[in-house]
Amino acid sequence: MAEEEQEGSLNLNETLGQVAGFLTRRRWWILLPFCSIAVATIAFLFVIPNRYTSSATLLVVQQQVPQRYVVPNSTTDVTSALQAMKQEVLSRTQLLRMINDFGLYPKQRKRSAPEELVALMVSNIDIVPINESPNAINKDFDAFRISFTTENSLLAQQVTNTLTSLFINEYLRTGAEQSVNTTNFLHRQVEEKGKLLEAQEEKLRDFKMQHVGELPEQQPGNLGILTGLQGQLQNTNASLNRAQTQRTLLQAQLEATPRRRTLSETGIAAPLQGNPNSNQILTPIEIAQSDLARLEATRSTLESKGFKAQHPDVLRNKQEIAQAADNLKRLRAAALQSEKAHPPSAPAVAGAPLLFDPSEDPAVAQLKTSIEANRLEIENLAADEKRLKSSIAQYEGRLNATPVREQQQGAIVRDTEVLRMEYAELQKKEQESQLATNLEKQQGGQQFRLIDPPSLPSKPSSPNRPKLSLGGAVFGLGFGLALAFLMEMRDTSFYTEKDLTKHLAPPFVLGIPLLPTPREKRRHNWWNLCQWLAASAMLLVVAAAGFYVYRRG
């Protein structure tokens, strides 16, 4: 165990000795590239001009009024809006205008095309979202930073300030323009839908006017009118039958008048209505008066029972009373005309038995007058019957057409309701859009707010001289080590007994040390001293240059 440790210690010492010998022999192959590259890198860094970066931070401010009160017109997320604004703000026209206004890139403008200048300025502009949630699905953010880099710090601040203003104004303009366009579009849609609704309502009105009386909502009224007409027809038929029966009786009395004498001036008439076997004789005028009195009594009975004026029975009774009154009026007019045409030759004495010539008998004239009035009544009743039947047929036709009209009207009403709902919904959307537009005009919607104004950089952002100088020194050291290792691999000299033993089989038992003269020793010492001084001077130069770069940044 002790032997293994001793052997390992010998191997380590031997390895360290080999490394030390390698570094000693190839020190200039290492130092010269290291110092040359380091000094050249530092010199090049001082030739490169400083570049200054000015940055500003914009905060995305949400809508000031809650969305449950005012719904915004724009649903585009901030990321998409920022991408769209970048295309607008960083357009070729905008960038060329800023290049000319601020005098950017004076050297490049002499030998570069406008497209190259635009590409150069775009490469110097940096827009970075901040406060972005890494787990967010929509990758939205709350703020973003705008920065611009150029060789003049004040110019960098001015350009950054202009870019910031352009982004803020462009976002406000885009939001307001989008909101106004949305409101105008909805307004046009409301007008078009209103015209369609107006045309549909006009179509519905024309349909109702064209089919008055056949509409579904008029069916109950038609049924009531039809019931009333049927009742009137029944009464008219009854009156017509009664008038025809009265005519038969009057004809029979007229035929029997020459063979008997009358007892009074108005004694020839039909038997008492309702009692055909009675000997009491009534004139047509008395019969009409009796019917009118009966109908008025019926009306009193209906009113006493509490029937209203709109009740069908009350309406029918009123119509019958009007017909009876008209009939009585016609009979009285006919009797008056008959008395004027055939005046009595002598006054009739009630109860006196008189003998009349048939050609001069006033009873005959009275009968003829009654027959004529009866004929007129029959004609009027027949005309009323015909009119009532025509009206009944008309209302029955209306009732039969009602189902068809109901289907037709239902289709038109459904289309009208759909248009009315769409019109109301568009009106609501237009009102909401108008509120959002007003809010955008008052700058109360979502917008960008400058929370960190463009900075005036005091130190250059590039080049990073300490970092680059350190990188040059590391590269020089690596390059020197690579050259030294390459030269060591190409060297065939033997520097240790072990190396010689590896290449020659017989072992060495005797060694002759180097025996320099005093002069050679002095020369060797001076050479070593010069080498150490030169190496130290080179390292001091590199160290001083590095320290100067570090202090100056």
Side-chain angles (χ1 to χ4, degrees), residues 299 302-316 318:
R299 181 180 64 182
L302 293 174
E303 291 178 353
S304 63
K305 291 182 178 181
F307 290 97
K308 296 182 178 180
Q310 292 79 11
H311 195 273
D313 293 341
V314 177
L315 295 175
R316 184 169 57 251
K318 289 181 179 180

Side-chain angles (χ1 to χ4, degrees), residues 99-110:
I99 290 173
N100 294 327
D101 293 342
F102 293 102
L104 300 175
Y105 315 115
K107 298 180 181 179
Q108 291 82 351
R109 291 171 64 181
K110 297 179 181 179

Side-chain angles (χ1 to χ4, degrees), residues 102 244 254 297 308 334 352 355 491:
F102 293 102
Q244 290 175 351
L254 182 60
K308 296 182 178 180
L355 296 176
D491 190 4

Side-chain angles (χ1 to χ4, degrees), residues 153 158 297 437 540:
S153 60
Q158 293 174 352
T437 302
L540 285 174

